[in-house]
Amino acid sequence: MYMKYRIEKDSIGTVKVDDSKYWGAQTQRSLENFVISNEIMPKALIYAITSIKIASAKANQTLKKLDTKKAIAIVKAGEVILSGKLDDQFPLKIWQTGSGTQTNMNVNEVIANYANKSLRANVIHPNDHVNMSQSSNDVFPSAIHIAVADMVVNYLLPSLDNLVTSLKTLEKKFAKVIKIGRTHLQDATPILLSQEISAWRTSVENCKLQILNSLNSLYELPLGGTAVGTGLNAPHDFDKKAINNLTQIYKLPFQVMNNKFDGLAFKERVVSIHSQLKVLATSLYKIANDVRFLGSGPRAGIGELILPANEPGSSIMPGKVNPTQSEAMMMVCAQILGNDTTISFAASQGNFELNTFMPVMAFDALWSIRLLSDAMDSFTKKCIVGIEVNHEKIKYNLDNSLMLVTALAPKIGYAKSAEIAKYAHKNNLTLKQAALKLKYISETEFDQLVRPERMI
């Protein structure tokens, strides 16, 4: 198929670019030089960089550094990108330069070429105008903070809140269901099912609080630090004006970072927020695993919960239904833990004034947020809200538990209570039968003391 090309040039020389594309020479070079796997820069990050270009153009216009005509053209081109109409213009892999320079230039070039086409004149340069008062070194870390904060606020937290709400509903629904508790995978003393679920809910709520605490540090942006944090080539007050414009775009409380050198060289804030995502993942894993085991069976397992039957569970065993939502959630959580390891290691890399593992940090952090958000939505809608109770199995497990003997300890002592439990287990008797056989307590006393509803 015939393809029309145009010639673009940069400081290295000339390169052929598909004439239907808005990107320029630096994007094309990156596209050809880094043919590594299929992972491309997330749209959320592209949109964050684009928003920085819009905010910067407005700031440069206000500061009389960029003329109004060019500023308006840059803003309009950026708004087209944010509409999603140019998503196919950002093909670069995350496996590129560690500063993200090529993706910053990808956005610069697309905006410049789109704006020039709109103006019908070649007057806007990707470096001189779109990248004015900026460097990839302050744009890319700022974009990571923006994208991650936006995704957490608008995707992760709503999904988390929906899960909490659904768990609260289950608590109320099963408020009177008494079941046997379990520790070390062994029978323990009785507990309300609502109490068991309340632990799940509280854990997720605590995770939210920690996420919110870490989120605050992401609102600080190093934009205006340019190449190494000194702000070279950025006019006075550019940072304040540009970041104020970003707060208007995202409706989030972004502010100027006090120490831009830290913002360029260190990534502890990204590590911190992702560490809280890791903590959330560990809690979600436990919840999903508990649900999976409590619903196991339905006849040869614990079988206390009845999980929604969303799809056939086996290609060979008719009628089998598996805890697929729990398994999907648990796999997602495993991936989050892997992402956290990558992000933690990446944050330690780079030398002197710049971290040079930023693209993989951005990709993994945003991937984690999307994974957790989608997994919580799926787990909530396809599992949690549809959970029912197998009352007969719960009663059977409760009535046959040897750990109800704990209620006798204050009356007859630990040693005799343990002897009753062991005797009952060895001779396949109920606790009551064993207690009466050993003559440690009367039937009336046993009935008064061993009452599960008083043991919760």
Side-chain angles (χ1 to χ4, degrees):
M1 181 178 177
Y2 175 74
M3 187 176 293
K4 185 178 179 183
Y5 292 95
R6 68 178 187 277
I7 301 299
E8 291 272 357
K9 66 179 181 177
D10 56 17
S11 58
I12 291 181
T14 61
V15 62
K16 291 197 299 184
V17 177
D18 181 349
D19 200 36
S20 67
K21 307 301 183 184
Y22 287 107
W23 65 68
Q26 290 196 51
T27 303
Q28 187 63 36
R29 291 189 193 283
S30 179
L31 195 58
E32 294 172 1
N33 290 336
F34 298 97
V35 185
I36 305 174
S37 193
N38 299 312
E39 296 82 16
I40 64 173
M41 287 291 178
K43 283 191 290 185
L45 188 72
I46 296 297
Y47 293 167
I49 295 174
T50 300
S51 297
I52 289 173
K53 303 305 171 182
I54 292 173
S56 297
K58 291 180 178 179
N60 285 321
Q61 179 190 3
T62 301
L63 293 168
K64 309 298 183 183
K65 193 175 180 184
L66 182 66
D67 71 65
T68 300
K69 183 178 180 181
K70 290 186 176 71
I72 291 174
I74 290 171
V75 169
K76 286 184 176 179
E79 289 172 346
V80 174
I81 292 174
L82 296 182
S83 74
K85 294 179 180 178
L86 298 179
D87 284 353
D88 63 344
Q89 299 296 313
F90 304 99
L92 298 189
K93 306 295 175 59
I94 66 169
W95 317 110
Q96 55 165 277
T97 176
S99 62
T101 298
Q102 289 143 359
T103 289
N104 180 48
M105 285 307 304
N106 184 189
V107 176
N108 288 335
E109 290 174 345
V110 170
I111 288 177
N113 284 330
Y114 189 92
N116 284 332
K117 186 175 181 179
S118 300
L119 294 172
R120 296 183 179 180
N122 192 23
V123 294
I124 295 179
H125 191 277
N127 297 83
D128 296 338
H129 305 120
V130 185
N131 202 59
M132 181 181 285
S133 307
Q134 308 151 62
S135 164
S136 299
N137 296 354
D138 64 340
V139 167
F140 205 85
S142 296
I144 295 175
H145 283 206
I146 292 167
V148 169
D150 178 56
M151 288 284 286
V152 166
V153 169
N154 292 303
Y155 291 90
L156 183 80
L157 294 182
S159 298
L160 187 154
D161 288 339
N162 287 338
L163 175 57
V164 167
T165 299
S166 296
L167 290 173
K168 285 181 179 179
T169 300
L170 282 191
E171 286 181 64
K172 293 178 181 178
K173 185 176 180 179
F174 302 135
K176 296 181 180 180
V177 178
I178 304 173
K179 54 162 288 182
I180 198 65
R182 295 178 178 86
T183 60
H184 302 273
L185 297 180
Q186 306 296 308
D187 297 348
T189 55
I191 188 174
L192 287 170
L193 179 54
S194 60
Q195 292 172 324
E196 189 168 38
I197 295 171
S198 75
W200 302 346
R201 184 255 308 160
T202 301
S203 178
V204 177
E205 289 176 329
N206 288 338
C207 289
K208 178 182 177 180
L209 292 177
Q210 298 306 315
I211 290 169
L212 289 173
N213 287 337
S214 292
L215 185 62
N216 289 329
S217 69
L218 285 182
Y219 291 136
E220 294 186 13
L221 307 180
L223 188 64
T226 64
V228 295
T230 60
L232 179 66
N233 292 349
H236 180 68
D237 277 348
F238 165 81
D239 51 2
K240 295 178 183 178
K241 294 186 182 301
I243 291 172
N244 182 62
N245 292 336
L246 285 166
T247 65
Q248 301 303 312
I249 294 172
Y250 280 90
K251 310 302 181 188
L252 293 174
F254 295 120
Q255 55 188 291
V256 176
M257 188 176 287
N258 290 330
N259 190 319
K260 296 186 179 74
F261 305 103
D262 165 56
L264 272 60
F266 290 87
K267 294 293 165 281
E268 72 279 2
R269 299 160 198 255
V270 181
V271 173
S272 177
I273 189 73
H274 199 277
S275 291
Q276 300 313 317
L277 299 183
K278 176 188 67 176
V279 173
L280 174 61
T282 62
S283 292
L284 293 173
Y285 188 100
K286 187 235 188 294
I287 293 169
N289 208 22
D290 281 358
V291 168
R292 182 171 71 134
F293 276 116
L294 291 173
S296 62
R299 295 186 177 181
I302 294 175
E304 293 179 350
L305 297 184
I306 302 172
L307 307 184
N310 295 320
E311 64 272 318
S314 172
S315 61
I316 189 174
M317 293 173 280
K320 194 171 189 292
V321 176
N322 294 332
T324 53
Q325 290 296 319
S326 285
E327 291 166 359
M329 172 64 84
M330 292 161 72
M331 286 191 288
V332 163
C333 293
Q335 184 63 59
I336 303 307
L337 268 60
N339 288 352
D340 193 71
T341 298
T342 299
I343 287 172
S344 298
F345 181 78
S348 72
Q349 301 306 299
N351 304 103
F352 311 118
E353 277 63 64
L354 185 69
N355 177 282
T356 51
F357 274 49
M358 287 191 286
V360 73
M361 293 182 72
F363 181 84
D364 278 1
L366 293 170
W367 187 23
S368 289
I369 296 168
R370 174 63 74 180
L371 277 173
L372 285 170
S373 302
D374 290 349
M376 282 191 289
D377 284 341
S378 182
F379 189 60
T380 300
K381 295 173 184 176
K382 298 295 184 179
C383 182
I384 293 296
V385 299
I387 288 176
E388 296 293 341
V389 165
N390 186 335
H391 291 281
E392 292 182 0
K393 193 65 179 288
I394 282 183
K395 187 176 187 306
Y396 175 83
N397 289 339
L398 180 64
D399 291 345
N400 284 276
S401 172
L402 298 176
M403 289 305 100
L404 296 180
V405 77
T406 307
L408 298 179
K411 178 72 176 178
I412 65 174
Y414 184 93
K416 289 181 178 179
S417 298
E419 187 179 349
I420 290 172
K422 291 178 180 178
Y423 187 82
H425 183 57
K426 181 179 180 180
N427 295 283
N428 197 27
L429 300 173
T430 66
L431 283 176
K432 185 174 182 178
Q433 290 170 332
L436 298 180
K437 200 89 170 176
L438 293 172
K439 298 181 181 181
Y440 286 151
I441 195 166
S442 70
E443 184 174 359
T444 300
E445 288 177 312
F446 185 94
D447 290 340
Q448 288 176 341
L449 293 172
V450 183
R451 298 178 63 178
E453 69 273 13
R454 291 184 177 179
M455 300 171 70
I456 55 176

